[in-house]
Amino acid sequence: MSNRPVIGITMGDAAGVGPEIIVRALAHDDVHDICRPLVIGDAGRLRKAMEVVSSSLTLHVVETPAEARFERDAIECIDLGLIPEDLPWGQVSSVAGNAAYHYIARTVELIEAGELDAICTAPLNKAALHAGGHIFPGHTELLAHLTGTEEVSMMLVTPKMKVIHVTTHMGIIDAIARINPGLVTRTIERAHETLARAGNHHPRIAVCGINPHAGENGLFGYGEEEEKIVPAIEALRARGWDVEGPLPADTLFFRAGRGDFDCVVAMYHDQGHGPVKVMGLEAGVNVTVGLPVVRTSVDHGTAFDIAGKGIADERSLIEALRQGVELASRHPERA
């Protein structure tokens, strides 16, 4: 069983549901069947979460992954000791935001040193992250910065569809301005590479338009589809790739849900996130595509309204761990 990948789980915002969904997820035997999970966070906060969910697990604190025993009845934790005992649940905290940054930074150091096979992140809170002095729109951009990666993409993975985004954390006006044929091409290339690595070497990729009805031949918008999207699709089709679009998003996601396509390319954040989240937050996994390391995440936030109540659902984290294992096993550094 020693060939199971070691997955570094960052604890996320300590005031949110991250600690408790980690504790709940690591109580599942099937998680330990597929990987060796190691939490990078705060042992004190995990103990509080264990009390909240009435966990029977034990906590084993280590300084390095090599010291971890990876036993089923224990949570392995590298303790950064950044969270005070009295940190309240469910409130924005600069202390928790700063800690969330350092959990990620330490985990990147470990994976770049070859001590981890993948990163799986519990949710952080952007306001807390900023209050802690770390001005990033979210995990995706933070990880790109820490790994020295110029450009990455966010892919949401569900049992029914995969959605990759051309733009993510920016206003809609800025997003439309940023979209161009080169960016669309590179996003589709990252999707194609990810699907091929997972064994699908001839994926069917569908591309959303920007305007209603994908512009309907110039009736809506100012020719954005023809200017920003069509050249990319034509260039990739010339390679022999199965790329279709630009298509109206309202019907495209219905078709993707019934299995017509292997991946949808969304132009902006809500165009892709909305349809995925309608399926249920427990179903979605966030994958950062284009990093030199494997990173997956839950597709939900810190849920401050229920944090510390012991009712948070761990299924998205379990699915994120499964996806991390799958991608790690096919990652070039591990192959």
Side-chain angles (χ1 to χ4, degrees):
M1 300 293 286
S2 61
N3 62 342
R4 291 170 297 151
V6 180
I7 309 294
I9 306 172
T10 59
M11 200 177 76
D13 192 298
V17 296
E20 58 196 279
I21 63 171
I22 289 172
V23 172
R24 284 190 182 276
L26 298 189
H28 290 253
D29 279 344
D30 54 352
V31 168
H32 298 272
D33 289 340
I34 61 172
C35 70
R36 290 175 284 171
L38 173 63
V39 182
I40 295 86
D42 265 75
R45 199 59 169 182
L46 286 176
R47 289 191 183 96
K48 282 190 174 293
M50 293 165 74
E51 294 173 5
V52 164
V53 303
S54 301
S55 174
S56 61
L57 299 175
T58 59
L59 188 64
H60 182 219
V61 178
V62 298
E63 292 188 4
T64 67
E67 296 175 7
R69 298 190 295 254
F70 298 114
E71 296 171 345
R72 290 175 184 267
D73 62 351
I75 298 174
E76 302 287 347
C77 174
I78 292 179
D79 179 19
L80 271 61
L82 299 173
I83 300 300
E85 179 74 16
D86 60 351
L87 181 81
W89 296 101
Q91 295 182 23
V92 173
S93 162
S94 61
V95 173
N98 178 60
Y101 170 85
H102 285 286
Y103 303 152
I104 292 288
R106 177 67 176 134
T107 305
V108 168
E109 291 175 357
L110 290 170
I111 197 167
E112 290 185 337
E115 297 181 72
L116 302 173
D117 296 302
I119 300 172
C120 183
T121 58
L124 54 72
N125 181 278
K126 295 177 181 64
L129 184 70
H130 292 186
H134 308 286
I135 312 303
F136 297 93
H139 266 125
T140 303
E141 297 82 3
L142 172 53
L143 283 159
H145 168 75
L146 289 171
T147 59
T149 307
E150 184 174 343
E151 189 175 270
V152 297
S153 296
M154 178 188 294
M155 178 182 283
L156 302 183
V157 178
T158 76
K160 285 192 174 183
M161 72 174 77
K162 296 177 176 66
V163 182
I164 195 167
H165 296 69
V166 175
T167 66
T168 50
H169 296 124
M170 61 180 62
I172 186 67
I173 294 174
D174 294 332
I176 293 171
R178 184 171 180 182
I179 297 167
N180 61 60
L183 179 58
V184 174
T185 299
R186 295 190 298 275
T187 303
I188 298 173
E189 288 173 336
R190 283 189 282 270
H192 194 282
E193 179 186 1
T194 300
L195 294 165
R197 189 183 299 157
N200 183 355
H201 296 283
H202 304 285
R204 301 162 298 164
I205 299 174
V207 184
C208 292
I210 295 172
N211 295 294
H213 303 282
E216 200 159 305
N217 299 315
L219 182 62
F220 304 116
Y222 298 92
E224 289 89 354
E225 281 77 16
E226 290 295 324
E227 174 191 348
K228 296 170 176 288
I229 302 174
V230 170
I233 293 173
E234 290 178 345
L236 294 172
R237 281 179 176 166
R239 300 182 192 177
W241 289 12
D242 187 351
V243 182
E244 186 175 342
L247 298 171
D250 53 357
T251 53
L252 169 50
F253 282 99
F254 168 76
R255 294 179 61 191
R258 74 182 182 188
D260 290 3
F261 304 107
D262 298 305
C263 186
V264 173
V265 181
M267 290 296 121
Y268 52 90
H269 183 281
D270 284 13
Q271 187 180 59
H273 277 61
V276 168
K277 292 193 175 182
V278 165
M279 296 180 180
L281 293 178
E282 74 282 354
V285 173
N286 184 334
V287 179
T288 305
V289 178
L291 291 172
V293 300
V294 172
R295 179 262 173 162
T296 63
S297 178
V298 296
D299 185 30
H300 62 73
T302 47
F304 279 171
D305 56 325
I306 62 170
K309 297 181 180 179
I311 59 175
D313 192 320
E314 73 273 23
R315 285 178 289 176
S316 182
L317 179 59
I318 293 173
E319 188 57 35
L321 287 165
R322 289 192 180 118
Q323 290 289 336
V325 169
E326 173 68 16
L327 292 171
S329 68
R330 300 177 185 273
H331 196 264
E333 294 300 320
R334 188 176 170 83

